[in-house]
């Protein structure tokens, strides 16, 4: 951390933030050698920071300083290990310094408005990325998937899930740090959504909604994220409604909590 801070000619405060990011790289992503850092890993760390902001764990201001530290690390690696890692902008990850993200759930009305916006754009352009983004957003809301997981959910995982009644997510579905987990398919709505996504992917000869040709391709997911962020920004500008993809996970979490509470107590939470 001191070496990175010295490289960019900044002091203790920067070194402290750099140390925090390096520690998270080691603990969350098992990156133990900084010379192993590459574009894909940096973007993964950036998504992790954004997720912490959108969940309300850290403030937008803190998230912005972490992005600055991450860029400092990338610049150090570029200079010392002959890499070409691009600089990241926290605004492109829907982070704003002056926004309070705590409890920021996407309401059903806002969700439906964004879906209508995507449908309208598809009708105007014929670009099936709008349909893919619509499905990805539905997957986030119905299953609590992170954005990258919704974009990278493998068609084979969906097919198997429809047979077994549960999604078994892993490395090929771009889970965080390639960790495996299971999500039970609890409703007909979830099942029907998976059938629609599966049909869409087969029709477009793609293994996931990002349009990748194989499960190891990260660039299509990064490109899809960039497209999605541009569309989200356009929606916010045109409608003056503040939509966020992570807010769909908030909505899912709230729904699951309400369902669990009702199942245990028989009392419905309105």
């Amino acid at each position: 951390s001191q070496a990175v801070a010295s490289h960019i000619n900044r002091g203790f405060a920067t070194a402290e933030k750099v140390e925090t990011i390096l520690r998270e790289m080691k603990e969350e992503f098992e990156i133990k050698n900084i010379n192993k850092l590459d574009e894909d890993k940096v973007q993964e760390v950036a998504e992790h920071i954004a997720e912490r902001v959108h969940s309300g764990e850290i403030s937008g201001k803190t998230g912005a300083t972490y992005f600055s530290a991450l860029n400092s690390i990338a610049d150090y690696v570029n200079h010392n290990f002959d890499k070409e890692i691009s600089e990241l902008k926290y605004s492109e990850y829907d982070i704003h310094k002056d926004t309070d993200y705590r409890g920021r759930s996407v309401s059903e009305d806002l969700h439906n408005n964004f879906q209508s916006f995507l449908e309208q754009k598809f009708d105007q352009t014929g670009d099936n990325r709008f349909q893919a983004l619509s499905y990805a957003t539905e997957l986030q809301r119905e299953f609590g998937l992170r954005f990258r997981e919704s974009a990278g959910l493998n068609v084979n995982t969906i097919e198997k899930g429809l047979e077994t009644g549960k999604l078994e997510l892993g490395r090929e579905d771009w889970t965080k740090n390639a960790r495996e987990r299971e999500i039970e398919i609890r409703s007909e709505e979830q099942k029907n959504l998976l059938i629609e996504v599966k049909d869409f992917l087969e029709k477009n000869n793609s293994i996931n909604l990002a349009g990748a040709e194989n499960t190891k391709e990260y660039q299509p997911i990064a490109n899809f994220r960039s497209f999605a962020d541009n569309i989200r920004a356009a929606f916010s500008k045109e409608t003056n409604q503040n939509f966020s993809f992570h807010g769909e996970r908030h909505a899912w979490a709230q729904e699951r909590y309400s369902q669990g509470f009702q199942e245990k107590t028989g009392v419905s939470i309105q």
Side-chain angles (χ1 to χ4, degrees):
S1 59
Q2 292 292 343
V4 175
S6 297
H7 169 72
I8 60 175
N9 195 29
R10 296 183 184 174
F12 175 77
T14 298
E16 188 177 23
K17 295 294 188 300
V18 167
E19 185 176 353
T20 298
I21 298 303
L22 289 174
R23 183 169 58 251
E24 291 200 357
M25 285 181 177
K26 181 179 179 180
E27 294 175 355
E28 293 289 336
F29 300 94
E30 299 181 356
I31 302 173
K32 299 178 181 179
N33 297 317
I34 196 172
N35 63 324
K36 301 293 184 181
L37 203 63
D38 58 21
E39 186 96 18
D40 290 353
K41 284 295 184 183
V42 168
Q43 290 180 341
E44 285 187 52
V45 176
E47 289 175 2
H48 173 67
I49 296 171
E51 185 174 294
R52 292 183 64 194
V53 172
H54 296 148
S55 67
E57 181 182 342
I58 59 176
S59 68
K61 183 177 181 180
T62 298
T65 62
Y66 283 173
F67 261 75
S68 177
L70 181 58
N71 281 326
S72 296
I73 294 169
D75 186 66
Y76 176 84
V77 171
N78 286 343
H79 182 79
N80 290 278
F81 300 103
D82 196 29
K83 301 286 184 72
E84 295 183 359
I85 302 172
S86 303
E87 182 178 0
L88 299 173
K89 297 180 179 180
Y90 59 83
S91 60
E92 294 179 354
Y93 287 78
D94 194 23
I95 294 176
H96 307 281
K97 292 183 179 181
D98 57 351
T99 300
D100 184 356
Y101 291 86
R102 291 172 294 181
R104 196 177 172 202
S105 175
V106 171
S107 69
E108 186 174 354
D109 285 344
L110 179 56
H111 171 79
N112 291 336
N113 289 343
F114 187 65
Q115 293 296 94
S116 296
F117 181 81
L118 295 175
E119 183 179 355
Q120 179 184 26
K121 293 299 182 183
F122 172 72
D123 290 341
Q124 292 173 350
T125 65
D127 188 340
N128 65 9
R129 288 180 299 174
F130 288 104
Q131 288 185 309
L133 183 55
S134 176
Y135 282 129
T137 308
E138 292 283 8
L139 287 170
Q140 291 160 44
R141 191 174 187 85
E142 287 292 333
F143 293 96
L145 300 184
R146 297 177 175 87
F147 182 91
R148 187 174 62 173
E149 293 170 338
S150 71
L153 183 63
N154 193 304
V155 66
N156 294 326
T157 300
I158 295 174
E159 187 171 10
K160 184 178 179 182
L162 289 169
E163 295 174 357
T164 64
K166 57 186 176 183
L167 290 177
E168 299 179 12
L169 304 178
R171 181 182 297 275
E172 293 188 345
D173 305 293
W174 291 95
T175 56
K176 183 177 177 180
N177 206 22
R179 292 170 182 161
E180 297 180 355
R181 77 176 192 278
E182 294 182 357
I183 302 176
E184 183 180 356
I185 301 172
R186 300 170 58 91
S187 69
E188 283 299 311
E189 288 80 4
Q190 289 178 320
K191 181 178 179 181
N192 291 336
L193 172 60
L194 292 175
I195 291 173
E196 288 185 31
V197 173
K198 177 176 175 290
D199 290 344
F200 175 82
L201 294 176
E202 291 176 346
K203 179 181 177 181
N204 288 277
N205 297 314
S206 179
I207 64 168
N208 58 37
L209 291 172
E213 295 181 358
N214 64 68
T215 59
K216 295 183 179 180
E217 283 189 285
Y218 181 76
Q219 193 56 48
I221 293 178
N223 293 342
F224 188 64
R225 178 69 201 227
S226 178
F227 168 78
D229 285 338
N230 288 336
I231 299 307
R232 180 205 58 76
F235 170 78
S236 296
K237 183 177 181 180
E238 291 184 28
T239 68
N240 199 31
Q241 298 177 76
N242 192 12
F243 174 88
S244 74
F245 295 110
H246 197 82
E248 298 283 20
R249 290 194 74 206
H250 275 297
W252 171 83
Q254 290 179 2
E255 178 65 21
R256 288 293 297 118
Y257 175 79
S258 297
Q259 288 176 353
F261 186 84
Q262 184 171 0
E263 289 170 2
K264 290 181 178 180
T265 67
V267 179
S268 175
I269 299 177
Q270 299 297 328

